[in-house]
Amino acid sequence: MSDSSWGAPPQAGQAGYWGPTAGGPLQGAVTAGPAYDAPEAQQTRPMPSVPDVPAYGGDQDDDPMPDAPQPVPVPKKTAGRDLSAAIGVGVGLGVVIIASLFVVKAVFVGVVAVAVVVGLWELTSRLQERKGIRAPLVPLAVGGAAMVVAGYARGAEGAWVAMALTALAVLVWRMTQPPEGYLKDVTAGVFAAFYVPFLATFVAMMLTADDGAWRVLTFLVLTVVSDTGAYAVGWRFGKNKLAPRISPGKTREGLMGAVAFAMVAGALCMQFLIEDGVWWQGLILGLAVAGSATLGDLGESMIKRDLGIKDMGTLLPGHGGIMDRLDSLLPTAPVVWLLLVAFVGS
């Protein structure tokens, strides 16, 4: 999720503050984007000059009316994004995912593969634009899609084999270009292969169980609920920063909200959606999801800060890019897969 999803209203004048104050955005300041708090993002504007004329149109000799304090309108708090667009896009994506998940499993695997390819395109494009790193997209896209399919068809063994072949293809493909920058390009390519498609294969592997659709739904629900709990509690009660140098909008109170919401949702999902699941297992699952989703969110924030960008892309109005939606999902997938296998088997 984006940095604004845990946004707490910090105090005005606080060092590194870039979000709204308790009463709204600072007067005369341009609010910085939700993903970084660079000082140059805030630009002050001069106060407008007012001509010295008599009040109420009186004569020059009339005594001017005494100055009366004028009420200052208090702007409403904002989350830093177009919420209506974000909600609309989120609902649309949810409908597509749920429909494909419960109608034909193979279609859902295709949806995951498409998301992986688009995410790789966004990541490699930003690396080249901001750092001059040319991670080869073609072998990454082909290998990434094959990795997801292999994970669904052959399980963990298939995913590992596809990962190894993708890494080899990246090394060979880059040899067709000049040697300058070879090491950093292939290193970034192998990182991208692991970060996006390999982690996504665990979603496909969840789907292979008899109740696979419900396992994937539980994974999605817990991750979304964790982000929602972090946002709701952090925005209302957040005061203590969680990782101010990485994501100033996230607070410890928001993390507690993520944990509480995810644990409750986990208990309900394990009790009513997962075959042979019990509620106490859901408490453990929810706690693990809150932790992994938070680390995933912070991890992508770290990448974006290093690149000096707000979002990985602009494909999804109100959300950013595909990678801005996958940040907490990707590292959570192997955690949920592993715990479900441990609790109820594969």
Side-chain angles (χ1 to χ4, degrees), residues 35-279:
Y36 58 94
D37 58 340
E40 58 267 22
Q42 294 184 349
Q43 302 175 355
T44 57
R45 294 179 290 186
M47 294 294 291
S49 59
V50 180
D52 189 10
V53 297
Y56 302 101
D59 296 333
Q60 294 284 348
D61 295 333
D62 292 341
D63 292 334
M65 294 292 293
D67 293 336
Q70 298 296 323
V72 178
V74 180
K76 296 181 180 179
K77 293 188 213 178
T78 64
R81 294 186 183 272
D82 186 343
L83 288 182
S84 60
I87 293 172
V89 170
V91 171
L93 288 175
V95 170
V96 171
I97 290 172
I98 298 301
S100 62
L101 182 61
F102 286 95
V103 175
V104 181
K105 288 184 177 181
V107 174
F108 178 77
V109 174
V111 171
V112 175
V114 169
V116 162
V117 171
V118 176
L120 286 168
W121 169 70
E122 290 179 347
L123 180 58
T124 55
S125 297
R126 302 297 86 76
L127 287 174
Q128 183 169 359
E129 291 171 1
R130 307 299 296 184
K131 295 291 185 179
I133 299 174
R134 297 172 295 174
L137 177 60
V138 173
L140 284 173
V142 175
M147 214 179 296
V148 174
V149 175
Y152 177 70
R154 304 293 297 179
E157 181 181 353
W160 276 113
V161 171
M163 172 66 194
L165 292 176
T166 301
L168 180 61
V170 168
L171 270 64
V172 174
W173 189 279
R174 180 57 179 80
M175 289 180 183
T176 62
Q177 300 175 7
E180 290 77 18
Y182 177 82
L183 184 58
K184 69 177 182 179
D185 292 347
V186 297
T187 301
V190 174
F191 163 75
F194 175 81
Y195 180 44
V196 185
F198 181 75
L199 294 181
T201 59
F202 288 91
V203 182
M205 287 192 290
M206 273 187 247
L207 196 59
T208 60
D210 292 337
D211 59 345
W214 295 106
R215 296 191 185 202
V216 174
L217 181 62
T218 296
F219 153 69
L220 295 173
V221 167
L222 292 188
T223 307
V224 172
V225 167
S226 173
D227 285 338
T228 303
Y231 172 81
V233 176
W235 181 248
R236 180 63 181 86
F237 303 105
K239 294 181 180 179
N240 300 295
K241 299 299 184 182
L242 178 64
R245 298 185 64 180
I246 302 175
S247 183
K250 292 178 177 56
T251 63
R252 298 174 186 175
E253 292 82 3
L255 176 59
M256 294 300 101
V259 170
F261 276 55
M263 289 180 72
V264 172
L268 294 174
C269 288
M270 286 298 293
Q271 185 69 37
F272 298 107
L273 298 184
I274 303 301
E275 185 177 353
D276 298 328
V278 293
W279 65 269

Side-chain angles (χ1 to χ4, degrees), residues 1-2 81 122 297 300 304 310-314 316 319-328:
M1 301 293 286
S2 66
R81 294 186 183 272
E122 290 179 347
D297 200 346
E300 202 203 9
K304 290 190 289 188
K310 171 185 174 182
D311 292 319
M312 281 290 187
T314 58
L316 305 176
H319 291 267
I322 289 290
M323 284 301 299
D324 297 299
R325 298 303 90 200
L326 296 179
D327 53 1
S328 56

